[in-house]
Each structure stands twice: as structure tokens, then as C-alpha cells.
Amino acid sequence: MGGLLYDESKIESIVSYAQRLEHKSINEVNFEQHSYAGKIQDAPTQTEENSKNKGNFGNYLEEAYFGKKNDNKSQPDFPFAKLELKASPLKTCANYEVKVKERMVLGHFTFVAMDKESFESSHLIEKNQNVLFVFYHYDRKQRSGDLTIELSDLWQFLKEDLPQIKNDWETIHQKIRDGKAHEISEGDTMYLGACTKGSTAESSMQVQPYSTEKARGRALCFKLNYINHIFQILMQRRQHRKSLETRLLSENELIEEHILKLYAPYLKKTADEICRLRGEKYNPIRKDRHSAIARSILGLNKDGTNLYELNASGITVKTIRIEPNGKMKESMSFKMIDYCEIVDEEWEESYFYAAITSKFCFVIFKRDSENSEYYLDTVKFWQIPSEDYTQFEKVWNDTKEKVSIGDYTHFMKIAENPCSHVRPHGQNARDLTPTAQGTLEKKMCFWINRQYLQEKVLDELYRK
């Protein structure tokens, strides 16, 4: 094995060797091994001159710890064990919760090559069926070898998740087959995404097999919500904690199909009728009664944190009420902006980006006259078109810039952007939250503009 301190043909040996890193740094463990064995493994040649750059921790891990030269081969990093190595950075939020910082890129692909694959024979399965995840605490001020590793463990596709991952892959594959590779969006899928790659659109354009139009090059990735969920599951296993989440799906079910099936018995019924059918008390003066009913049908708690598939996919369940004139009354809010967190985020690593590139499940209540009750008219899954992402990014960038300089009074208004804006969502003027400057300021949220949703969702849905 060339002087390596692990057996590169056995998954158990490689994983065990990786777990020596937990709660330590690469340099610290290498020094301990050097002192104990008289040498570190052969050929730890990677230097740390530029190790603060994105991606260099993974390269340093491979070369300085595992003694492997980094390459771009299509086979797994440990080919004899059929094991892929993936390093994933963590961040600590303002509430001290530790989360994954960014989505996990699994491998680049060409549209021509993917067109010829099936899911079972795909490069995705060949390379990523067994993954050794090394989760480390990101700190831009530290060099790669000094970063602390939180967890190293083996991940294999969960049997329960595989049908949805396969469906995600086939959704991307079908767009290529339809000559629509240029229309692929991260919002198309649940767990497995197709993220863009390349520093500029021009440099990363590729040919596609069924269209003359070139498309932006892409890579398969685990989306941010899903990779964060993998981290949480592995941490729970390590700590022998039972998950508090409930699974919606049984084997071989897909998320969208199951959710639509749950709502189907209540279509065209009023809120009062739904509650009676479910044996629940109806409160006609409760302001959020329709949202509460929508959550109850799914078995979703008020915080939306108890269902595995919704957490792992990032699906946002939102209730829309339509008036007799066919219009919705309100814009749609997201969770409160964390002023301390946003200043250290990048756009594609942000909560807001993860939210707008995930699916929305709109539970639509409608009434036919001013004096009639709202009834559950339909349930629609929808994703924001990728061509609109730049407008949401403008709002996010503007917000980050203003928070960074301590300006909490001039956020982008609804008239300044066609898609999104920022405004309060606190209970009252005294509902404050900490800032990056150490002050307390009014709670704010990102909102999707009412008119944008009207045109993109409702007008399309109810077009005669």
C-alpha cells in the first residue's frame, strides 16, 4: 500500500483513518502520526500557500493526509474501495447552530454524455454511491491544514431517498432529451440539483444534442438543504440520538405525488368542512386558520421542522387566498433576515438562494363572492424561473451591502424590483433582533412581490 497508514482497498479502513481527524486539524493529526510512527505517510506534497482558496481544503486533505495526488479522473477517489471523498465546509450561525455552508458538487457532466446514460449506469452512481464526507469548520482567516474537522463518516444513498434522487436525475436527463438543456434550473428538482459551473456564462457554454442553442455548463450537486440534512443525520447517528422528524413517504414514493394525494380528499371544501372531516376544531377568527389547515393536512408543525422530506428538499409550503376578482391580496414572506449571518454569506451559499431555488407548494384557497367562504381550490408545485434569479440576487446584494454598513432603514422597496423586496415582519416596533454592529434593529424579511406571483402563478393557472 505504498506506506499509507490505511488499507486503500477497504472502506472500513479508510473511514476509520478519516475519523482520526475529528475535533482536530490535518496538521495536528499529521504531527501526532509523525511523532508516533517516525514519519507521516508518503508524499504529503501539497503546500498551503494558497489554501484559503475555495476547494483547496479538499485538495490538501487528499494530498497531505491521504497521500493521494488530486486528479480529475471520473473514477472514485479510492477506486479499489469504490469510495468517493468529499469535503464539506460548516458555518456557525448567530444562534450557535452549526450548518453546512454550501451545496455539494458531485461531478461535472456534459449534455452529450449524460444523454447516453441511464440512471443505473450513470456517472453519478458509479462515482458517488459510497461517499466519505469530511465536514470541517470553515474559517477564511485560517489555512487549510489548521481547520478543525467536526465529523468524518460514510454516506450511502438512503433506500428511502433513492426514488426521489432517481426522479431528480431523470428530470434533468429529460430536459436534455427535449433539447431544453438551456432551461435547466436548480428549482426543477428536490435533492439532486444541476448547478452552473464556470466563471462566466460565455466560457462555460456547451453544445447540447437536441438543439442548436448552447447551454450553460452544469454539475450535479446535492442541494444545500439536502447536504445539510445528511450532516444532521450523520451527527445524530454518531451521538446515538433519534431523529425527531417524521417521514412522509413510504418506499418508492415521490414527494410531489404524495403531498398531492394528501390534499386530494379536501379539494373544493371550505376550511370549516375540512376541519369537520378531520375532527379538528375550527376557529373562524384565527388569522392564520387557512395556513394552519394546510399544515395540519401534511402533519407539519408550526415551525415546519418535523417532516424529513420537506426539510431535506427545502420545499416551502405557502397558503394563497384568492379573492372573487381572481387576485391575491398579499405578498409572500420568508423567514427573518439574520443580520449577523448575511454579512459573511455569498449569494449562492445564502438561505435566500436556497429558498428561491427550491420548490414551492402553493395551497390555494379561493372564494367566489365577498360573502362566501374560502375553499381549498387546488395545490400547485412551482419553481421560480431561473431567468428571474438575477432580480432576487439584486435584492439580496442590496440588503447585504446595507446591513454591512449599518443602514437598516433604506432596504429595497416593492416598487424598486419586479420580483422581491424587503420590509418588516415583526410583531410590532419593539420586536428587534441583533445586528452585525452589536445594536438591535427591527426584524425584516425578504418578500416575493404579490404582482410577480399573480402574473407567474395565478394568471397562468387560471388562464381561460
Side-chain angles (χ1 to χ4, degrees), residues 186-349:
E186 286 187 68
D188 294 335
T189 51
M190 300 290 186
Y191 298 161
L192 183 72
C195 58
T196 55
K197 72 179 187 73
S199 57
T200 65
E202 183 178 354
S203 66
S204 66
M205 299 301 282
Q206 291 184 12
V207 297
Q208 56 173 312
Y210 302 103
S211 172
T212 57
E213 185 168 353
K214 286 190 175 183
R216 182 86 181 268
R218 293 187 175 265
L220 291 176
C221 66
F222 281 149
K223 299 175 72 171
L224 180 59
N225 285 295
Y226 188 60
I227 187 63
N228 188 63
H229 222 61
I230 290 174
F231 170 66
Q232 300 299 334
I233 289 172
L234 291 176
M235 285 296 291
Q236 288 164 0
R237 288 179 184 172
R238 181 61 59 83
Q239 297 167 0
H240 305 290
R241 290 186 291 119
K242 186 177 180 181
S243 174
L244 299 177
E245 295 174 317
T246 301
R247 279 190 175 271
L248 272 176
L249 308 183
S250 56
E251 193 172 342
N252 296 322
E253 285 191 305
L254 300 176
I255 299 173
E256 287 190 34
E257 292 175 359
H258 186 78
I259 288 176
L260 293 174
K261 185 169 66 176
L262 290 177
Y263 282 113
Y266 308 107
L267 294 177
K268 311 307 177 185
K269 292 182 170 54
T270 66
D272 185 19
E273 290 171 332
I274 292 172
C275 286
R276 280 192 276 112
L277 284 170
R278 295 180 55 78
E280 298 171 351
K281 186 177 180 180
Y282 175 63
N283 183 353
I285 62 173
R286 180 176 174 176
K287 287 185 177 181
D288 69 340
R289 60 189 181 278
H290 298 97
S291 296
I293 289 169
R295 292 195 302 269
S296 175
I297 292 172
L298 290 181
L300 189 63
N301 63 14
K302 188 171 183 179
D303 295 330
T305 58
N306 64 315
L307 294 184
Y308 175 94
E309 289 84 0
L310 266 63
N311 290 334
S313 66
I315 290 174
T316 302
V317 179
K318 289 288 188 180
T319 304
I320 293 176
R321 288 183 298 170
I322 303 178
E323 301 306 311
N325 62 2
K327 305 295 184 184
M328 61 184 293
K329 293 181 68 173
E330 301 166 336
S331 296
M332 184 173 292
S333 66
F334 290 86
K335 73 176 186 180
M336 182 192 73
I337 298 168
D338 187 325
Y339 297 137
C340 299
E341 186 172 313
I342 193 173
V343 294
D344 289 324
E345 287 181 326
E346 299 298 328
W347 165 236
E348 292 192 357
E349 300 168 2

Side-chain angles (χ1 to χ4, degrees), residues 1-9 17 39-44 63 65-69 80:
M1 296 299 171
L4 297 176
L5 301 181
Y6 60 92
D7 186 338
E8 60 183 338
S9 68
Y17 183 66
K39 64 174 183 176
I40 309 178
Q41 71 245 32
D42 296 344
E63 296 193 20
Y65 189 67
F66 286 102
K68 295 177 63 64
K69 284 288 185 181
F80 299 114

Side-chain angles (χ1 to χ4, degrees), residues 28-216:
E28 184 179 357
V29 175
N30 271 349
F31 179 78
E32 291 174 355
Q33 293 179 164
H34 177 82
S35 300
Y36 176 75
K39 64 174 183 176
I40 309 178
Q41 71 245 32
D42 296 344
T45 55
Q46 170 77 20
T47 68
E48 290 195 78
E49 292 300 317
N50 298 306
S51 63
K52 295 178 186 178
N53 294 338
K54 186 175 180 179
N56 274 10
F57 175 86
N59 295 339
Y60 191 77
L61 175 68
E62 276 194 67
E63 296 193 20
Y65 189 67
F66 286 102
K68 295 177 63 64
K69 284 288 185 181
N70 182 260
D71 58 51
N72 294 316
K73 293 180 180 179
S74 60
Q75 63 187 6
D77 294 311
F78 301 95
F80 299 114
K82 297 182 179 179
L83 179 67
E84 178 74 355
L85 176 66
K86 292 293 184 186
S88 183
L90 302 171
K91 64 179 181 180
T92 302
C93 303
N95 62 358
Y96 302 107
E97 183 180 6
V98 176
K99 289 187 174 183
V100 173
K101 182 174 178 288
E102 60 196 41
R103 63 199 171 194
M104 169 58 66
V105 175
L106 300 173
H108 299 135
F109 65 90
T110 67
F111 304 119
V112 173
M114 191 171 181
D115 169 51
K116 299 174 182 177
E117 295 179 337
S118 66
F119 177 71
E120 288 74 16
S121 68
S122 66
H123 183 246
L124 171 73
I125 294 296
E126 178 187 3
K127 190 170 184 179
N128 297 287
Q129 197 159 17
N130 301 305
V131 180
L132 170 57
F133 277 116
V134 176
F135 292 97
Y136 65 96
H137 290 277
Y138 173 79
D139 185 341
R140 63 186 174 189
K141 296 178 182 178
Q142 285 192 311
R143 289 155 36 118
S144 293
D146 296 325
L147 296 171
T148 301
I149 286 81
E150 177 68 28
L151 179 71
S152 301
D153 214 339
L154 176 67
W155 177 263
Q156 297 166 308
F157 289 145
L158 284 178
K159 181 172 67 173
E160 297 92 336
D161 290 347
L162 195 56
Q164 186 61 58
I165 291 172
K166 179 179 180 180
N167 185 260
D168 289 343
W169 186 93
E170 289 178 342
T171 297
I172 299 165
H173 187 251
Q174 191 58 51
K175 277 204 167 180
I176 296 171
R177 286 285 178 94
D178 292 340
K180 296 180 179 179
H182 54 287
E183 296 181 9
I184 291 173
S185 166
E186 286 187 68
D188 294 335
T189 51
M190 300 290 186
Y191 298 161
L192 183 72
C195 58
T196 55
K197 72 179 187 73
S199 57
T200 65
E202 183 178 354
S203 66
S204 66
M205 299 301 282
Q206 291 184 12
V207 297
Q208 56 173 312
Y210 302 103
S211 172
T212 57
E213 185 168 353
K214 286 190 175 183
R216 182 86 181 268

